[in-house]
Amino acid sequence: MTHETLAGLGILVVEDEPLLRKQLTANLERLGADVTAAGTVSASRQLLADLNFDFALVDVNLPDGRGTDLLAEKVFPIQTGVIVMTANSGVAGAVQAMQLGALDYLVKPFDPLELPLVIQRARRARQGSRADEHRREEQSAFFFGPALAGLEAQLQKVLAADRRMQGPLPPVLIQGETGTGKTTIARWLHQQGPRGGEQLIEVNCSALPEALAESELFGHERGAFTDARTSRMGLFEAANGGTLFLDELPSLSPALQAKVLMVIEDHSLRRVGGNKPIATDARVIAATNRELKQLVERGEFREDLFHRLDLYRISLPPLRERGEDILKLADLLMRGLCRRHRVMVKNITPAGRQRLLAYRWPGNVRELAHELERALVFEESEELSFEHLQTPIDTGAPMLETGWFNPGFRYPPQGFSLESAIGLLIEHAMKQSSNNVSAAARLLGVSRDYLRYRLKGTGDGEPGA
């Protein structure tokens, strides 16, 4: 082990015995660490208030208190890893320190060669923890932007309600087209909520074979079927205390949908082949890219499960309806892609930005990320223009996208029918409001009388008031 082993690390040594304190300081400095020493709890508090440390070696028993008090009071900043030192008779105190967040402990007297090994072990543990934290941050990152301000406010209400709950949390339903970010929103809800420190288990229900889906979700007992040589815990049990994310829930058979409903209602389950109820408290987040109400009407989804899931319903709009947010999201995704590929960030040309706004994005955010990466990898110019995207700029397609005005629209040489455009707007509003004239008029910002006049002029029947 070379003297560079601990090079660059700032270490605080808290030990009341002067000789041992000097020995520890000398050994750590010989290994390249920058060491600061203290002999009391109060001196440690002062140093921690003024300086930053990577690690702290803390004796359990000190003249003016216990080293564990510093942990219990959360005096150590989150970036400081703590290793406690104790005599044989104080192992219980070391165990308490571990419960309070210490990374490791040393029992006195210990071999000086053991010291750097323990610090390196704590360093790896902290690195692993930080990597997991970073992974969770990346997974749960979601760009809201002005277009999704209403959605963000709705999610904050869900979180506020969750924090008020004392018992099991109600399920959440997330609906949206493929690629809009349903999985990311599920991770965000889990991480931001009261169960953020617990496990999140994700299941793509459409990928579960019908014959194995029941066993995978609810577990099975030994001998429940031919290959069941041992008992096995299901994913509902594994997510106990945390969150179970069921993506594409309508892919499950009606019989399995009924079992999911029973677990949500009763907070208990029975494994396949078992008759003993097993308690479970898994917060269910379900997601689908289909309209569940229509599936219920067609008999393809259980109505009772739909109503149970419909308490917290989150609807993610398609990317094409998010307006200028597309450009801000593209910039955010581009920075992440450039970090991943270790290249300089490329700017997007004005024409490229127009193409991003004009494109329909059938694959939504996922497709946007893929197109950005494709351009970053294959376009050799310093700026990106996305000439491979077929948009109304290039094709002369109609003005209206599924959302609102297409910024890339150009009037055709033969002229344009304003009456047809108004009719299309009215038709879209009536469809969105289920043919309710009052609701459609509010969407369009006009009076009911005006809308009735326009509808009468088009020859439509008598829609609802």
Side-chain angles (χ1 to χ4, degrees), residues 213-453:
E214 184 176 15
S215 170
E216 192 73 13
L217 291 174
F218 307 103
H220 62 255
E221 298 291 356
R222 181 181 179 183
F225 45 86
T226 304
D227 294 328
R229 297 183 178 87
T230 60
S231 297
R232 190 185 185 201
M233 176 188 294
L235 296 177
F236 267 99
E237 284 182 75
N240 184 45
T243 301
L244 180 63
F245 174 51
L246 299 175
D247 196 12
E248 299 306 332
L249 180 62
S251 301
L252 298 180
S253 68
L256 289 183
Q257 292 175 23
K259 290 197 72 169
V260 170
L261 175 62
M262 288 178 63
V263 176
I264 293 174
E265 293 281 6
D266 301 338
H267 307 294
S268 68
L269 57 83
R270 283 183 172 84
R271 292 177 178 174
V272 178
N275 52 23
K276 174 185 174 184
I278 299 172
T280 182
D281 175 20
R283 202 282 174 78
V284 172
I285 300 179
T288 177
N289 61 3
R290 294 182 279 176
E291 177 54 61
L292 286 190
K293 195 173 288 186
Q294 295 177 3
L295 296 182
V296 169
E297 292 171 355
R298 296 201 300 264
E300 298 176 16
F301 193 80
R302 292 185 63 98
E303 185 174 9
D304 48 3
L305 179 56
F306 168 70
H307 290 306
R308 189 67 186 88
L309 294 173
D310 202 35
L311 176 62
Y312 291 158
R313 189 200 314 181
I314 308 298
S315 296
L316 292 180
L319 184 60
R320 59 185 172 273
E321 293 182 4
R322 292 176 61 177
E324 295 285 331
D325 277 6
I326 292 175
L327 299 180
K328 297 176 183 176
L329 178 58
D331 289 337
L332 183 67
L333 293 171
M334 178 63 73
R335 288 196 294 271
L337 288 167
C338 289
R339 281 198 303 271
R340 184 193 309 169
H341 291 290
R342 298 181 181 180
V343 297
M344 295 290 292
V345 176
K346 289 189 175 183
N347 293 323
I348 301 173
T349 66
R353 298 176 86 81
Q354 285 295 314
R355 288 190 175 93
L356 293 180
L357 287 171
Y359 188 63
R360 287 186 57 84
W361 299 113
N364 293 292
V365 179
R366 185 178 297 136
E367 183 183 10
L368 173 61
H370 289 168
E371 291 297 342
L372 290 169
E373 187 166 19
R374 186 201 307 273
L376 187 65
V377 171
F378 291 109
E379 288 196 26
E380 297 181 359
S381 59
E382 294 298 318
E383 296 184 309
L384 305 178
S385 59
F386 304 99
E387 293 181 1
H388 61 283
L389 289 181
Q390 292 298 311
T391 70
I393 294 177
D394 309 306
T395 64
M399 175 186 73
L400 291 176
E401 297 286 70
T402 303
W404 177 225
F405 184 74
N406 179 355
F409 172 73
R410 296 293 182 272
Y411 288 97
Q414 65 272 24
F416 175 81
S417 172
L418 183 60
E419 285 295 315
S420 296
I422 294 173
L424 185 57
L425 283 170
I426 290 173
E427 179 185 343
H428 190 69
M430 291 294 291
K431 182 179 179 181
Q432 183 174 325
S433 61
S434 301
N435 285 332
N436 185 299
V437 174
S438 298
R442 284 194 297 271
L443 292 174
L444 292 165
V446 298
S447 68
R448 285 187 301 172
D449 290 341
Y450 172 81
L451 187 54
R452 286 183 184 279
Y453 168 76

Side-chain angles (χ1 to χ4, degrees), residues 2-10 28 31-34 54 120 123:
T2 66
H3 75 281
E4 291 87 9
T5 301
L6 304 181
L9 293 182
L28 291 170
L31 292 167
D34 182 10
D54 296 293
Q120 290 287 19
R123 191 180 193 180

